Amino acid sequence: MRDDGSLRAARAAGVPAWGALSVRWRKLWRDVIAERRRYALMLAAVAVSVAAFGTVLGTRDVLQREMARNYLGTAPAHATLELPGGVSDAALALARADVGVEQAEAGDVLSARVRIGVEWRALLLFVVDDFRSAAMNRATPVAGAYPPPPGQALVERTAVSVLGAGVGAAITVKLPGAAAAELRIAGVVHDPSLAPAWQEQSGYAYVDRATLRRLAGGAAPNGLQGPREPHEAHEPHELHELRVRFQGIPEQMAAVQAAAQALAQRLTQAGMPVAEVRVPPPRRHPHQRQMETVLLLLLGFGALALLLSSVLTANALAALLARQTREIAVMKTLGARTGQLVAMYTVLVLGIGAVALLFGVPAAALGGAVFARAVATLLNLSLASEAPAAATFVVQALAALGVPLAIAALPIGRACRAGIRLAMDRHGVAGTTLRRVSAQWPVAWRNLARRPGRLVLTLGLLAAGGAMFMTALNVSASWELTVDKVYATRHYDVEIRSAEGMPPSFAERVRALPGVRAVESWGYAPAAFARPAEVPVTHVYPDRGHGSLAVMAPPAATAMVSFPVLRGRWLAAHDAADAVVLNHAAAAQMPTLALGDPVWLAVDGRATRWTLVGVVEEVGAAGVAYVGAEGFGRTARVLRIATDARERAERAQRIRQLDDALTGWGATVQSARPLSELRTAMGDHILILIRALMALAAVMAVVGGLGLASTLSVSVLERTRELAVMKTLGATPGQLTRMILSEARAVAFTSALGALLLSLPLTALLDERVGKLGFVAPLPFAVSPAAALGWLLGVLALSWVAGWLPARAAGRASIAVAMQAV
């Protein structure tokens, strides 16, 4: 401390306390300049962590706000009642006259197909009774005309790339049982209640009742060639959904469900039976739970990164204070009080946090905007603003300033409260190891163990960073294993679904087609869990996908699927006609069911009783109840086909041949989809999470690396005199360098082992959370050898870089200069 004389002179001359205080601050400033590299490491670690924490915090705030604004802006219906006989004027009048109904209107959602090039792809057709008066489930105009002119359609904005057609273009649409018709696109809309079209591998279009009638009845809209004969069996120009919003009740599931059930009973009693009531979770976007859970996990990891960087700051600061114990004692002998010294180092830590904020906040704002846009793209949201609320920046500032200070309080207090006599006896080292310099590992561990607290902090810092890195890659490997189950448990590559039943002869005729290896006919029907004497209630969203349930009847001893059995068993040929097996997604909708329990399923509006005999794991599917063909009692509607195709183009050609053949035989083909589309859709759903985990893993790795570099550098500086003594006893510069590098390697190997052990429970936790979000079942536990090896090599390389320069400098320092070091 070079200003001891100034302090004494100031006291003797009666200089005010603030004058002496300025000397202390100048001393602190010179210390920072002298140790600028180490403080720069602290600053970099905190800034990186502040940026990561702020990025996730800001993204969470923006998405929570924008998801609510987007979804509620569509004015989603509280409930949708399915009327098989169509929504008549009388049904609308009865609903609107109900004292608890605020709004009621008719609509529908139909499965159609659209021609893209030479292929037919799935198209979800939303039918609006009247675009001008539509009050519920509204889409926002983006481009072109709204409402569309008669005979034209609107498409959802994410479907433009799928369809390869925008405003003014014509698309060829085909309803089940009707001929193909051209439909001109009048405009583009945004419907945030739908997943992106490219993610679902499906198109979205919106038409009114008149346009639907033309598509079904053959009138050519606006002179375009269209179908000539309607398929009256389905009456697709009739609307079957009665959408309602209630008033005077809380927007909670139980209240909405009770009100919808009561309305359904009144309609049924009036001679307008209701087959199903659909009540999606009120005020909640279809993907809201998944988004909130994922962002909460990421926020926790961001907070962990900030915590670890604060530990790094406290660790490095403790080491620097240990080297200044005699200077602190000198200041105390000159009258400095403990509180003044604590305040001085407190301001130092706050300064590190404040400067980190200057770098971290802009980086977090940029990262949050990029992250929010990426998530919004995956959720089909439109961001009105990418700026988080002001409270987010307040939380970020409090975390950046408060967390490092809270963790650094202990070493600051310990150093500043030390007695003068004790502090004067300290020399910044705990002892000297002079024997057997060549025995590198024992010497390395003895040296590291002299500062057990610092060793534990350093190992914890690196282990946590490595654990996050390994966990990200482990979860990615677990996800890939799960996605691979799509092919491992399904032994077909094409599924063709018909709007009507297909006779058994169709399967035999398909089997005779070129390129077909095997084919099976399956029964299929939409369904819902039901209770006797009640209208079945489901929690399905308007897209008819999230929360849905279907009944499928495979042939006895099917060879097309081999799902793992979770409970009970799979269907057997000797089963009674009422046996049912649920897949795990369906079982999750009724978690209290046990083997042998009765299961009530509503099929075609009629409640039927079944007996649960098993539960299977079916990755990538909505809820399905599997029953025997005898108990199902309906003609098969699904063909599952194994072809000889190996490439995408070859498979597309096989699908066209199958489609043409079935259509020529009179089948009303509703969809023809390759199994590969399911795998692609599953991968797209989790893409953002894997990328976010990898980004946070990189942040943790940076923080851990900075921690190692800081610890080794300070450790070498602390032991400058010790190294000089060893040189006087004959140690060569090379031996000293190898000794310090062996300490670095010891820390690296130990931290890598700790990271591996810590990553195992962390991987298990994320496998469970992520799996339940994506598949309603935990992901299979997987450990990536590449992750463990990659982290080990990385931390070894970092330890070599961190230890080489200070070790080399210490080895080259002259004994006289080294012995003068404090």
Side-chain angles (χ1 to χ4, degrees), residues 40 61 84 97 289 312 364 384 420 455 469 497 590 641 752:
D61 180 73
R289 176 174 168 268
L312 164 62
I420 297 176
L455 175 62
F469 177 81
R497 187 170 297 179
M590 299 290 286
I641 305 165

Coordinates of all heavy atoms in Angstrom, one line a residue, residues 40 61 84 97 289 312 364 384 420 455 469 497 590 641 752:
A40 N -11.3 -8.2 -14.9 CA -12.0 -8.4 -16.3 C -12.6 -9.7 -16.4 O -13.7 -9.9 -17.0 CB -10.9 -8.1 -17.4
D61 N -41.4 -12.7 -20.4 CA -42.4 -11.6 -20.2 C -43.1 -11.3 -21.5 O -44.3 -11.2 -21.6 CB -41.6 -10.4 -19.7 CG -42.6 -9.2 -19.5 OD1 -43.3 -9.3 -18.5 OD2 -42.5 -8.3 -20.3
P84 N -75.0 -33.3 -35.1 CA -75.0 -34.1 -36.3 C -76.0 -33.7 -37.3 O -75.7 -33.9 -38.5 CB -75.2 -35.6 -35.7 CG -74.9 -35.5 -34.3 CD -75.2 -34.1 -33.8
A97 N -81.4 -17.3 -27.2 CA -82.4 -17.0 -26.2 C -82.1 -17.4 -24.8 O -82.7 -17.0 -23.8 CB -83.8 -17.6 -26.6
R289 N -49.2 -24.1 -21.9 CA -48.5 -24.8 -20.9 C -47.1 -25.2 -21.2 O -46.2 -25.1 -20.4 CB -49.4 -26.0 -20.5 CG -48.8 -27.0 -19.5 CD -49.7 -28.1 -19.1 NE -49.1 -29.1 -18.3 CZ -48.5 -30.2 -18.8 NH1 -48.5 -30.4 -20.2 NH2 -47.9 -31.1 -18.1
L312 N -18.0 -17.1 -8.8 CA -16.7 -16.8 -9.4 C -16.2 -15.5 -8.9 O -15.0 -15.4 -8.5 CB -16.8 -16.8 -10.9 CG -15.6 -16.1 -11.7 CD1 -14.4 -16.9 -11.4 CD2 -16.0 -16.1 -13.1
A364 N -28.9 -8.6 -23.5 CA -30.1 -9.4 -23.2 C -31.3 -8.9 -24.0 O -32.2 -9.6 -24.4 CB -30.4 -9.2 -21.7
A384 N -46.6 -7.7 -31.2 CA -46.9 -6.3 -31.3 C -45.7 -5.5 -30.8 O -45.4 -4.4 -31.3 CB -48.1 -5.9 -30.5
I420 N -5.8 -7.0 13.8 CA -4.6 -6.4 13.2 C -3.4 -7.4 13.4 O -2.7 -7.6 12.4 CB -4.3 -5.1 13.8 CG1 -5.4 -4.1 13.5 CG2 -2.9 -4.5 13.4 CD1 -5.2 -2.7 14.2
L455 N -11.2 -24.5 -3.5 CA -11.3 -25.6 -4.4 C -12.7 -26.1 -4.6 O -13.1 -26.4 -5.7 CB -10.4 -26.7 -3.7 CG -10.4 -28.1 -4.4 CD1 -9.8 -28.0 -5.8 CD2 -9.7 -29.1 -3.6
F469 N -23.9 -28.4 -19.9 CA -23.5 -28.7 -21.3 C -23.8 -30.2 -21.6 O -24.4 -30.5 -22.7 CB -22.0 -28.5 -21.4 CG -21.4 -28.9 -22.7 CD1 -21.4 -28.0 -23.8 CD2 -20.8 -30.1 -22.9 CE1 -20.9 -28.4 -25.0 CE2 -20.2 -30.5 -24.1 CZ -20.3 -29.6 -25.2
R497 N -56.5 -42.7 -45.4 CA -57.8 -42.6 -44.6 C -58.9 -42.2 -45.5 O -58.8 -41.3 -46.3 CB -57.6 -41.6 -43.5 CG -58.8 -41.6 -42.5 CD -58.5 -40.8 -41.3 NE -57.4 -41.4 -40.5 CZ -56.8 -40.9 -39.4 NH1 -57.3 -39.8 -38.9 NH2 -55.8 -41.5 -38.8
M590 N -57.7 -39.8 -18.7 CA -58.4 -40.5 -17.7 C -57.5 -41.1 -16.7 O -57.3 -42.4 -16.7 CB -59.4 -41.5 -18.3 CG -60.4 -40.9 -19.3 SD -61.6 -39.8 -18.4 CE -62.6 -41.1 -17.6
I641 N -50.1 -49.2 -45.0 CA -49.4 -49.9 -46.2 C -47.9 -49.8 -46.0 O -47.4 -48.7 -45.7 CB -49.9 -49.2 -47.5 CG1 -51.4 -49.2 -47.6 CG2 -49.2 -49.9 -48.7 CD1 -51.9 -48.3 -48.7
A752 N -14.7 -32.6 -14.3 CA -15.4 -33.3 -15.4 C -16.2 -34.5 -14.8 O -17.3 -34.8 -15.2 CB -14.4 -33.8 -16.5

